[in-house]
Amino acid sequence: MRYGFEGSWNRLKPALPGRSLTYILFLILHSSLFTLHSLAQPGTWHLHPSYRSAQTVAAVQNRIYCASENGFFSYDPTANEATRLSRDDGFSETGVSQLAYLADQKRLLIGYRSGTLDLLTVSDAGEPVDVKTITLIRDATQITGSKRIHLLTRTGTDAYLACDFGIVVLDVTKTEIRDTYRNIGPNGTSVAVYATAFANDSIYAATSRGLLAARFAPSVNLAFFGSWKTVPLPPGAPVRSVVGVGNQVYVAVPGQGVAQRQGGRWVVIQSIPAITGLLPTATEWVATAPDQLLRPSGGLLQNALVGEPKEIVEAAGSFWVADSLSGLLRITGTTVQAVSPDGPASDVFQQLASVGPMAQMLALPGGFTDELKPLRRRRGFDRFQQGRWQNVLTTSLPTDFSTAVYNPTDQRTYLGSFGGGLWSYSGENPPEVVNRALANISSLTVDPNGELWLATPSLNVGQTTVSVRRKTGQFDPFTPSRGDVQQLLIADNGFVWMRLSPANGGGMQVFDPATNRTRLLYDQLGEGGLPDRNVRAMVRDRDGLIWVGTDNGVAVFDNPMAVFTGTVTAYRPIFDRNRLLSGESVTALAVDGGNRKWIGTVNGLYLFNEDGTVLIDHFTSQNSPLPSSQIRALAIEPTNGEVFIATTSGLVSYGGTASEPVPVFAGITIFPNPVRPDFGGLVSVRGLVENTVVKIMDAGGQLVYETRSQGGMATWNLRDYRGRAAETGIYFVFAVTADGKEGLAGKLAVVR
């Protein structure tokens, strides 16, 4: 047996008495050999929100706080540093919709889309100290529907919260809800309130039923709809914003400019024909137009970074803009700087792809609906590598990438787009066009010979819908019997499996390019036996079996080579005495290095064992950091086993406990190493061959733990067979092949 680590057990054991344990731990703690921060920690979650969709901003002492649709962060202007904030820092939820600083109390009020309120006490420098949470709005059973908090307007000791169900009055000194105004629309109808403003002796509310106003006085019952009157607006004026500044009220009038309420009528006081909105600051209004911000004194800024401003504050000699396209902007004079943390450009992705040997994950914005139309259009795609996100742009024209695959033969990533053809990407230079003529590409895959297969869906009979790009660069066309191909998969024997559009009858077809045979598979016994014709996902596992996700659970084709002979009926794994996920719509499938099945549905994410009979984990938005239980796409980075999950409300990743096995031992990685006192997760051993036996021994030579690898990874929960926590010391890790002929050894330091 050989060991690929510095020193075997026999060489290390005698050295222990001659050196103090403290000295040995010191050496390991300061050795870069044992620190690999880029690895995903098994069993832990990582949020990947877009910080560009900024919605709200607040100046808090010496810091700026900003929230996007799913992200939250603070920015230190002096240090030019952004700090990400999340539930791990004590905040209640994700989905911040409103920030407002209560300067006299040094507290930041944080409103969420759910109706939850956090009151964050800050230090003199604006750093978080502690959080108090108010859930009265969120938990109010008498309020149905959305409880989103849109905007906060403060007067005296009261904060008026504009919500999707009405107005909530919060006493900020007593930290209690003093009143709620619901059903204040005409004749007592329910209205959503987007903003409130105070001017003269009145309170104004921009609502889903127009602009409402009431006299603001102690004698007026604002909870009574009769106290509120509809204020006529200029033709085409928006009702989602109303601004009160200097005891005057203003609105934006499309095509005209800023209008002020004077003597019971609206007067345009500043002409801005291209006006798109109106924002309040502490001292003035700011109008928005394409690439522009304007204020009463004239122009403030004209810059292409200004996309869709949502809020603006002035602090530290700069204007700070929450822009839903560009993130947090710092405007100093005529200089504009985007200062949001790095992250994907969007929270909505239709496909994920793990590409290349350098642990790259691509998040693709484009996709095909059942009608074979794109869901959205954007420039480029997002790449995650070594813990950082980068938005990779193509040209000035939108390119809606919908699929990607890595070809190890030429070491390039190929991307298919809707309307932009086929592209290739090396990871260094911008993507390059390979073939513009292939307009709409729904799927790409690479066969064992290193040749690229493409699906170009069409409902026209006889049109080429599948092509292969040979190594020479030549494209060879094929015309299967059905052309509405949404996904391609190459079986071990070279047959091409295709997922078909549910909008055109659904089902699947298998194509043999050697003979041009095609077989359609549906839900009839003997003709596929699918649980449902609507097929949403398809994947080949490590044993060559084809797993299929439908609107009625999962099916498996366990003999793909015999698909053209006789009857074909997929089998359905049995779990908990039922067909696997029967009745659930399965939207995404992925196979990890241990051949375990990750299954995304509209009701959460499941992890099953290799044959689908044992449930290992079930994650939902209620029991995990998933921003939504509706899963859109899955992809697993093979080297470290990190599982990326695209939901309808954002992107997250999970440190998996399985990775792709290596073909032969070359060296093992133990992470984290050393284990520090505050660590409570799983230690992972990586770089293993299939079915490796891993033994962990203490310094006295006693066996502490033994397990087998899941693919190329094994994990230890830092407890022995009796459940006792590992004590401070040096532990030795032995990894041995299943036949016992090869092995590696490593050291692990545990500090408690």
Side-chain angles (χ1 to χ4, degrees):
M1 179 182 295
R2 63 178 179 86
Y3 293 98
F5 201 83
E6 87 172 33
S8 68
W9 164 249
N10 290 328
R11 287 175 56 194
L12 287 169
K13 184 178 178 182
L16 290 174
R19 297 284 191 181
S20 70
L21 180 59
T22 303
Y23 176 76
I24 294 172
L25 292 178
F26 174 85
L27 290 178
I28 294 180
L29 281 166
H30 292 79
S31 171
S32 61
L33 274 173
F34 300 94
T35 306
L36 293 168
H37 295 291
S38 62
L39 292 178
Q41 178 61 48
T44 61
W45 292 86
H46 297 277
L47 305 180
H48 301 280
S50 170
Y51 293 100
R52 296 193 187 183
S53 57
Q55 302 294 310
T56 179
V57 61
V60 180
Q61 300 296 99
N62 299 330
R63 302 183 76 88
I64 305 298
Y65 282 73
C66 182
S68 60
E69 282 290 344
N70 292 303
F72 185 29
F73 67 97
S74 69
Y75 179 77
D76 183 344
T78 303
N80 192 27
E81 285 183 349
T83 302
R84 295 169 175 83
L85 302 170
S86 69
R87 283 188 286 185
D88 291 340
D89 301 296
F91 298 99
S92 296
E93 305 172 10
T94 56
V96 176
S97 59
Q98 176 63 192
L99 298 172
Y101 184 48
L102 312 174
D104 55 325
Q105 302 177 38
K106 289 186 182 177
R107 292 198 295 180
L108 176 65
L109 191 147
I110 305 166
Y112 295 89
R113 292 193 292 266
S114 67
T116 296
L117 290 169
D118 277 348
L119 280 161
L120 170 67
T121 301
V122 299
S123 67
D124 290 341
E127 297 174 343
V129 176
D130 61 64
V131 178
K132 179 177 180 179
T133 302
I134 302 173
T135 60
L136 188 62
I137 300 174
R138 184 196 70 187
D139 298 338
T141 56
Q142 69 273 24
I143 301 175
T144 59
S146 172
K147 300 176 183 179
R148 181 185 181 120
I149 299 169
H150 288 285
L151 192 67
L152 179 148
T153 309
R154 183 178 176 181
T155 177
T157 61
D158 290 332
Y160 286 73
L161 309 180
C163 305
D164 268 344
F165 57 87
I167 299 172
V168 173
V169 184
L170 174 70
D171 187 321
V172 296
T173 57
K174 297 179 181 179
T175 318
E176 62 183 25
I177 292 176
R178 188 171 61 78
D179 214 339
T180 302
Y181 310 147
R182 299 171 55 213
N183 304 318
I184 60 173
N187 300 315
T189 55
S190 175
V191 294
V193 180
Y194 307 120
T196 58
F198 295 90
N200 294 316
D201 63 347
S202 299
I203 177 175
Y204 293 83
T207 79
S208 55
R209 297 293 297 269
L211 183 63
L212 304 179
R215 192 165 68 89
F216 190 66
S219 60
V220 177
N221 179 14
L222 295 180
F224 174 51
F225 72 88
S227 300
W228 295 83
K229 307 300 180 185
T230 300
V231 179
L233 285 166
V239 293
R240 291 191 71 93
S241 66
V242 58
V243 175
V245 179
N247 216 23
Q248 300 295 322
V249 63
Y250 304 88
V251 296
V253 182
Q256 298 184 51
V258 180
Q260 180 185 6
R261 189 74 171 167
Q262 297 180 0
R265 64 190 184 92
W266 295 99
V267 177
V268 175
I269 61 169
Q270 188 151 344
S271 176
I272 309 173
I275 192 169
T276 57
L278 200 61
L279 306 174
T281 71
T283 58
E284 61 183 354
W285 52 258
V286 175
T288 63
D291 302 336
Q292 293 185 71
L293 295 172
L294 305 102
R295 53 183 173 171
S297 59
L300 171 61
L301 178 80
Q302 185 166 359
N303 191 284
L305 274 177
V306 178
E308 293 184 0
K310 296 294 185 180
E311 287 185 10
I312 183 170
V313 296
E314 188 175 5
S318 300
F319 285 95
W320 303 85
V321 178
D323 191 289
S324 64
L325 295 181
S326 299
L328 178 60
L329 302 178
R330 179 180 189 173
I331 303 172
T332 308
T334 58
T335 302
V336 183
Q337 180 186 10
V339 296
S340 297
D342 77 279
S346 170
D347 287 311
V348 180
F349 296 101
Q350 307 305 321
Q351 293 295 333
L352 301 171
S354 177
V355 298
M358 300 301 293
Q360 296 184 71
M361 183 63 60
L362 303 188
L364 307 174
F368 285 73
T369 65
D370 290 343
E371 294 77 23
L372 307 182
K373 296 178 181 178
L375 293 177
R376 55 199 302 273
R377 297 192 66 78
R378 236 188 55 207
R379 285 180 59 200
F381 56 91
D382 290 284
R383 180 182 74 164
F384 183 76
Q385 186 178 26
Q386 295 181 344
R388 297 189 64 86
W389 283 97
Q390 177 191 7
N391 183 229
V392 181
L393 301 179
T394 52
T395 63
S396 59
L397 298 175
T399 304
D400 200 44
F401 290 113
S402 55
T403 180
V405 68
Y406 178 73
N407 191 340
T409 301
D410 58 10
Q411 298 182 351
R412 296 189 69 87
T413 295
Y414 289 86
L415 299 111
S417 69
F418 185 93
L422 177 67
W423 297 64
S424 73
Y425 177 58
S426 66
E428 298 177 358
N429 300 317
E432 302 171 356
V433 176
V434 176
N435 189 323
R436 279 278 194 188
L438 298 166
N440 301 332
I441 302 173
S442 61
S443 183
L444 296 171
T445 191
V446 175
D447 66 22
N449 296 321
E451 296 184 321
L452 181 70
W453 289 77
L454 312 88
T456 51
S458 172
L459 299 180
N460 296 329
V461 178
Q463 182 172 326
T464 296
T465 53
V466 175
S467 303
V468 58
R469 182 177 185 262
R470 305 296 183 187
K471 294 178 182 178
T472 61
Q474 175 185 334
F475 286 84
D476 288 342
F478 296 96
T479 308
S481 56
R482 276 184 57 183
D484 52 327
V485 182
Q486 293 192 316
Q487 183 185 355
L488 296 175
L489 185 153
I490 307 293
D492 290 343
N493 62 351
F495 291 170
V496 183
W497 289 66
M498 308 177 197
R499 178 168 61 87
L500 304 176
S501 169
N504 194 41
M508 303 171 64
Q509 69 178 339
V510 185
F511 176 66
D512 179 4
T515 63
N516 282 327
R517 291 179 297 173
T518 297
R519 179 156 191 179
L520 295 172
L521 303 175
Y522 295 111
D523 51 352
Q524 293 93 348
L525 290 178
E527 298 299 328
L530 294 170
D532 192 278
R533 283 197 174 205
N534 292 339
V535 179
R536 307 290 182 182
M538 183 173 60
V539 72
R540 183 183 71 252
D541 74 6
R542 295 178 58 81
D543 294 327
L545 281 61
I546 309 297
W547 288 66
V548 178
T550 76
D551 277 348
N552 186 29
V554 176
V556 184
F557 290 93
D558 58 351
N559 190 9
M561 299 182 67
V563 71
F564 287 105
T565 59
T567 61
V568 176
T569 299
Y571 84 87
R572 302 183 63 186
I574 302 297
F575 165 69
D576 198 21
R577 294 182 294 182
N578 288 310
R579 303 290 185 183
L580 184 59
L581 298 181
S582 180
E584 289 222 40
S585 180
V586 175
T587 54
L589 293 169
V591 178
D592 67 19
N595 206 28
R596 303 178 304 177
K597 309 306 184 292
W598 291 83
I599 304 176
T601 74
V602 296
N603 295 311
L605 176 64
Y606 296 84
L607 171 60
F608 283 92
N609 69 337
E610 61 274 9
D611 62 6
T613 59
V614 177
L615 177 64
I616 300 170
D617 275 312
H618 178 207
F619 301 116
T620 68
S621 59
Q622 284 71 45
N623 68 7
S624 77
L626 281 174
S628 167
S629 293
Q630 298 184 48
I631 311 300
R632 272 204 171 121
L634 296 171
I636 302 175
E637 200 293 305
T639 304
N640 61 35
E642 189 168 9
V643 183
F644 284 76
I645 307 135
T647 76
T648 54
S649 298
L651 179 66
V652 296
S653 64
Y654 178 77
T657 56
S659 62
E660 290 291 324
V662 298
V664 295
F665 275 140
I668 61 173
T669 300
I670 304 170
F671 180 79
N673 194 1
V675 174
R676 300 180 184 274
D678 59 349
F679 180 75
L682 298 173
V683 171
S684 62
V685 182
R686 312 180 195 225
L688 307 176
V689 299
E690 189 89 54
N691 210 24
T692 296
V693 177
V694 176
K695 296 175 183 284
I696 297 173
M697 294 183 178
D698 62 20
Q702 297 297 313
L703 180 65
V704 175
Y705 185 75
E706 181 176 336
T707 187
R708 285 185 180 268
S709 67
Q710 289 287 344
M713 185 193 306
T715 59
W716 179 36
N717 65 358
L718 292 169
R719 292 188 176 274
D720 65 14
Y721 286 111
R722 298 181 182 180
R724 297 174 300 186
E727 298 177 349
T728 294
I730 300 294
Y731 292 81
F732 298 91
V733 180
F734 293 90
V736 184
T737 57
D739 59 12
K741 293 182 179 179
E742 271 195 297
L744 293 173
K747 291 180 294 186
L748 168 66
V750 176
V751 184
R752 293 303 194 189

